Amino acid sequence: MSEPRPRSAAAAPPAEDDAALLARAVVALQRHAEPLQQLGALFSEAGQELYLVGGSVRDALLGRLGTDLDFTTDARPDAVQRILRPWADGMWDTGIEFGTVGAARQGHRVEITTFRADTYDQVSRNPEVRFGERLDDDLVRRDFTVNAMAVRIDPAAPGGVGEFVDPLGGLAALRARVLDTPAAPEVSFGDDPLRMLRAARFVSQLEFTVAPRVRAAIERMAPELGRITAERIAAELDKLLLGADPVAGIDLMVESGMGEQVLPEIGAMRMAIDEHHQHKDVYQHSLTVLRQAIDLEDGVPDLVLRWAALLHDIGKPATRRHEPGGGVSFHHHEVVGAKMARKRLRALKYSKQMVDDVSQLVYLHLRFHGYGDGRWTDSAVRRYVTDAGPLLNQLHRLVRADCTTRNKRRAARLQANYDDLEQRIAELAAKEDLQRVRPDLDGNEIMRLLDIPAGPQVGRAWNHLKELRMERGPLSREEAEAELLKWWNAEGGSTV
């Protein structure tokens, strides 16, 4: 396969670094030679152009191209559907109003979009969709120059890869690892304010920086994010948090003013610290906890854990109290923080499960500090496990990540105490089903023994037996029945 050919007579020959990037792209594209050649032949036979474009080209140059491929074409959407139909195992048209047709075949997913030359009203982020006639017009309307490169798909070329198209300097920007806009950033962000938040996402995902003019435009235009729906913002925040360096993305978001629009609680943790009331900078502490939580993952990014690490201390500003003698307290910040996390995630339209999981981790993250040097009873350990439920492993990681003290002896003691707690959990789990601490009698047995119908009384009896199970561990059937009858008689009930 030949190297993609740069299309610019005026451009100087690629520097050695550029040559290395292009060679890396060739290697990445070779892995997709079959679908590229097949699609190139189909579009060529139909008299249409086809280009690999945007993030797919960028990722090929970075050596991180996956099996999802993005293309652009001069063919209109109905023609794209006709061309793809004999090739695809399946097709979808959810984006067809914006000119996008999707298809899948043998593990590859492709999205092919007709050249666009949209106009925006600068009020909403919805464009007036207008199909274009030229590739260059399509590229100049994209978010960043590193996403405004294309590779012509040519069935006559080795591997189906033809010329490399870079009219806006995307390769140079990629080599410098800088995000810049094809047009003036004010125009680009005015067209679609979500691009500002996307910049923070790419800082996290790609570990790039933003060009000074882009940073300046974001600082001026951050309030424009108010035009974007909560769902779209949440999708970008998730991608940012799941990136390689989410701390850098969050810091750009907060320092540029975007955070005030989408996650104001994070910037609010940058609390002033005076010389008489010393405490950690809560914002920087939270970023450190996020970084340490990521280090504790098992190789698979954990979105719930990352959100919980970022939000675990958002209740501190609201609960800060200056104590006599120069101390600072944050009593019940975990309770306040859990409520704040729930409110913010709901506003961002997250699922009930996501809201419940993250807020529960925030609520529980401080409980371990009552463990001391192993002074918890078995009952307290059971409650810890039961309250964490399926979040127990994430709670383990969050609590360990929350240790950011520079005092090595204190840090070692905290980790040793948590080692001890995990050992006690393991020992109890070997004897009991700690993940499902339930009463020793179920609802049907309670109704039979007490001769009562289903209703609130059964629920109260069930809760009483569960509390006993927490306090004393598993009971024999005889013990459980005796305790149930004892409780029932004390409640004024009768089995006669």
Side-chain angles (χ1 to χ4, degrees):
M1 176 184 292
S2 62
E3 183 176 284
R5 301 184 296 279
R7 187 192 80 182
S8 177
E16 184 61 30
D17 285 345
D18 289 350
L21 289 169
L22 291 167
R24 186 183 299 139
V26 169
V27 172
L29 293 174
Q30 282 177 336
R31 302 189 186 103
H32 306 276
E34 184 175 347
L36 292 180
Q37 288 176 318
Q38 292 170 346
L39 290 169
L42 288 169
F43 277 79
S44 178
E45 290 167 5
Q48 309 286 174
E49 299 176 3
L50 183 67
Y51 294 87
L52 190 72
V53 73
S56 292
V57 177
R58 179 201 70 215
D59 287 348
L61 289 162
L62 293 172
R64 60 195 297 271
L65 182 62
T67 56
D68 290 359
L69 304 176
D70 293 328
F71 297 87
T72 190
T73 179
D74 59 343
R76 295 300 190 257
D78 56 346
V80 173
Q81 288 179 312
R82 288 196 302 271
I83 293 168
L84 285 178
R85 194 164 287 116
W87 177 83
D89 295 330
M91 293 175 57
W92 57 93
D93 61 2
T94 50
I96 199 164
E97 64 177 309
F98 298 106
T100 301
V101 176
R105 176 185 169 99
Q106 296 178 353
H108 282 88
R109 290 170 55 91
V110 304
E111 288 195 342
I112 303 177
T113 303
T114 303
F115 292 162
R116 296 267 293 275
D118 302 335
T119 57
Y120 291 78
D121 60 13
Q122 299 286 313
V123 176
S124 71
R125 70 168 301 274
N126 297 319
E128 179 185 333
V129 177
R130 184 163 61 86
F131 297 133
E133 303 296 333
R134 302 187 323 125
L135 173 66
D136 287 2
D137 292 338
D138 180 274
L139 296 180
V140 78
R141 55 165 288 279
R142 293 178 178 265
D143 54 3
F144 300 105
T145 57
V146 295
N147 295 329
M149 298 177 282
V151 173
R152 184 182 182 90
I153 305 303
D154 180 358
V161 177
E163 64 181 343
F164 173 69
V165 184
D166 181 22
L168 299 163
L171 185 61
L174 186 140
R175 174 164 38 84
R177 307 187 79 80
V178 171
L179 295 170
D180 202 352
T181 51
E186 292 81 4
V187 174
S188 182
F189 299 153
D191 284 348
D192 184 358
L194 189 66
R195 290 170 173 172
M196 293 185 283
L197 196 56
R198 200 174 293 148
R201 186 242 291 185
F202 286 135
V203 165
S204 170
Q205 287 182 326
L206 305 176
E207 299 179 274
F208 281 21
T209 60
V210 295
R213 69 171 190 156
V214 169
R215 172 64 179 260
I218 291 174
E219 291 175 354
R220 289 193 299 272
M221 300 180 68
E224 294 294 311
L225 284 167
R227 292 159 47 190
I228 307 301
T229 65
E231 292 87 350
R232 295 296 306 280
I233 287 172
E236 289 298 322
L237 290 175
D238 283 351
K239 292 174 184 176
L240 187 161
L241 277 175
L242 291 172
D245 188 6
V247 168
I250 291 163
D251 207 42
L252 171 63
M253 185 179 72
V254 170
E255 297 295 335
S256 67
M258 289 188 287
E260 184 63 29
Q261 306 302 316
V262 299
L263 274 179
E265 298 84 356
I266 304 304
M269 291 190 290
R270 296 178 296 175
M271 296 185 295
I273 303 172
D274 64 53
E275 60 180 329
H276 302 296
H277 297 91
Q278 291 293 323
H279 60 82
K280 293 177 182 176
D281 179 271
V282 181
Y283 172 68
Q284 290 298 331
H285 163 75
S286 297
L287 296 185
T288 299
V289 172
L290 172 59
R291 191 180 290 113
Q292 293 184 167
I294 292 169
D295 289 341
L296 293 172
E297 290 174 344
D298 58 6
V300 178
D302 186 333
L303 186 60
V304 169
L305 175 63
R306 294 186 184 198
W307 265 116
L310 179 63
L311 300 180
H312 78 285
D313 272 350
I314 60 171
K316 278 191 171 180
T319 58
R320 180 174 59 168
R321 298 290 182 272
H322 290 162
E323 303 292 350
V328 177
S329 66
F330 303 96
H331 295 307
H332 305 302
H333 76 268
E334 75 283 9
V335 178
V336 173
K339 292 178 180 178
M340 292 173 65
R342 183 175 293 276
K343 181 178 179 180
R344 175 53 54 191
L345 294 176
R346 281 176 172 168
L348 289 168
K349 308 295 187 183
Y350 279 95
S351 68
K352 182 180 184 301
Q353 188 68 59
M354 186 73 169
V355 173
D356 289 348
D357 287 352
V358 173
S359 58
Q360 182 71 348
L361 286 171
V362 172
Y363 176 70
L364 292 174
H365 84 273
L366 205 61
R367 184 177 295 184
F368 160 72
H369 293 279
Y371 185 73
D373 295 316
R375 290 191 293 269
W376 275 5
T377 62
D378 285 352
S379 172
V381 175
R382 291 188 193 99
R383 291 181 187 279
Y384 188 76
V385 174
T386 300
D387 289 347
L391 300 170
L392 182 61
N393 286 335
Q394 288 153 309
L395 182 59
H396 288 335
R397 289 170 179 157
L398 177 59
V399 172
R400 288 186 182 277
D402 195 25
C403 176
T404 62
T405 178
R406 294 180 181 179
N407 184 318
K408 292 183 178 179
R409 292 182 63 182
R410 184 168 184 270
R413 184 171 69 254
L414 286 170
Q415 296 295 348
N417 284 344
Y418 208 83
D419 288 343
D420 184 68
L421 173 58
E422 287 203 64
Q423 179 62 33
R424 287 186 63 189
I425 290 171
E427 289 171 355
L428 283 173
K431 297 183 290 185
E432 312 169 20
D433 185 3
L434 285 186
Q435 290 296 333
R436 296 186 63 193
V437 174
R438 301 177 63 83
D440 297 283
L441 302 174
D442 64 22
N444 289 328
E445 291 170 311
I446 291 171
M447 289 188 287
R448 179 179 58 79
L449 284 167
L450 301 184
D451 193 24
I452 58 176
Q457 290 177 316
V458 178
R460 290 198 299 272
W462 192 92
N463 286 330
H464 173 70
L465 290 176
K466 183 176 179 180
E467 286 298 312
L468 281 177
R469 174 74 166 74
M470 289 282 197
E471 292 293 334
R472 293 165 49 180
L475 304 177
S476 69
R477 185 174 187 83
E478 292 75 16
E479 289 174 320
E481 290 180 352
E483 290 291 347
L484 175 63
L485 295 174
K486 178 180 175 182
W487 171 84
W488 182 241
N489 288 330
E491 289 285 303
S494 173
T495 57
V496 179

